[in-house]
Amino acid sequence: MSNDLDSYDDVAQWDLNLPDGKHSVRFQHGTTSGRRVILVDGKEVRNTGWQFKLVGKESFLIGKHRACIIIEANGLNYTYILEVDGKSLKRFVENRKKACRTWTPHVGGNPHRVVLEKDSLNVWLDGVKLDVMGEFTDNGTETHFMIDNREAVIRAVTSGKRREGIIYSLFIGDTQVPDAFENDNL
């Protein structure tokens, strides 16, 4: 697909964080031609060319997640809504926040991003899913892996309170890493 998009303006842009990394979605809509172009992380993934119908839906993938942009007309204006995995972006982000824990440690001067998917216990480091070793302890579980040749462990312990559930903490060596807060997008 062509990357010669300079003559078209973005009408909508969304940024979101997923376990495999940060993603950007840009949407271009020719309101006279009906042309629709979707770019994910700067790469064109959909280009409809000329269309008579100016409203509707365009489906595509963001990594392994199904996404859809809904185009609605409001008089002379258009509204663009991004859905991910069948949910509005807001609801998808809220669900991901509940299902994941994220940390952004600096190890050896290098910034990193660690994501734990609580439902599957998958651990991602800088967008790459890791092969991890988990073990049971007297207090809960520990998941071991390496970051820049330094031992890292995610400890999962019960809070003792039903509403709080399990508390997940990342340690690199003996130092606990604070949780990351990523622009409300994961």
Side-chain angles (χ1 to χ4, degrees):
M1 291 182 194
S2 161
N3 264 342
D4 183 22
L5 301 174
D6 295 331
S7 59
Y8 297 95
D9 292 328
D10 294 344
V11 293
Q13 180 170 338
W14 300 271
D15 296 308
L16 62 154
N17 296 312
L18 297 173
D20 67 344
K22 296 181 179 193
H23 297 278
S24 172
V25 176
R26 292 177 28 214
F27 183 59
Q28 300 172 349
H29 184 215
T31 56
T32 55
S33 67
R35 180 174 189 255
R36 301 172 190 176
V37 178
I38 300 171
L39 297 101
V40 176
D41 301 330
K43 295 180 183 157
E44 187 176 308
V45 297
R46 189 137 172 88
N47 185 338
T48 62
W50 189 89
Q51 285 191 332
F52 181 71
K53 190 172 181 186
L54 298 177
V55 296
K57 294 182 179 186
E58 292 297 331
S59 299
F60 59 102
L61 291 174
I62 305 172
K64 294 183 179 179
H65 296 274
R66 291 177 292 109
C68 177
I69 295 175
I70 301 168
I71 306 150
E72 297 175 342
N74 296 329
L76 297 175
N77 296 318
Y78 291 91
T79 303
Y80 306 98
I81 302 165
L82 177 65
E83 290 185 347
V84 182
D85 289 341
K87 299 175 183 78
S88 70
L89 180 59
K90 181 179 178 183
R91 183 174 220 167
F92 175 79
V93 167
E94 288 169 356
N95 288 350
R96 292 301 301 171
K97 279 184 177 183
K98 291 176 188 173
C100 294
R101 278 305 275 282
T102 304
W103 299 271
T104 54
H106 282 72
V107 179
N110 299 318
H112 295 282
R113 184 170 179 267
V114 177
V115 178
L116 169 69
E117 292 180 308
K118 295 189 284 187
D119 54 352
S120 63
L121 298 181
N122 289 329
V123 176
W124 296 74
L125 174 62
D126 300 329
V128 176
K129 189 169 134 183
L130 300 178
D131 234 353
V132 296
M133 181 180 68
E135 66 180 77
F136 290 101
T137 66
D138 291 339
N139 297 326
T141 63
E142 291 186 350
T143 303
H144 298 267
F145 56 100
M146 301 294 286
I147 302 177
D148 288 348
N149 296 319
R150 301 254 339 255
E151 185 176 329
V153 61
I154 296 174
R155 294 189 179 130
V157 297
T158 182
S159 66
K161 299 176 184 170
R162 185 172 175 222
R163 285 188 170 257
E164 288 182 33
I166 297 173
I167 298 172
Y168 298 90
S169 304
L170 172 65
F171 289 84
I172 298 175
D174 293 329
T175 305
Q176 184 172 355
V177 177
D179 291 352
F181 300 97
E182 298 185 311
N183 301 338
D184 296 333
N185 283 335
L186 181 83

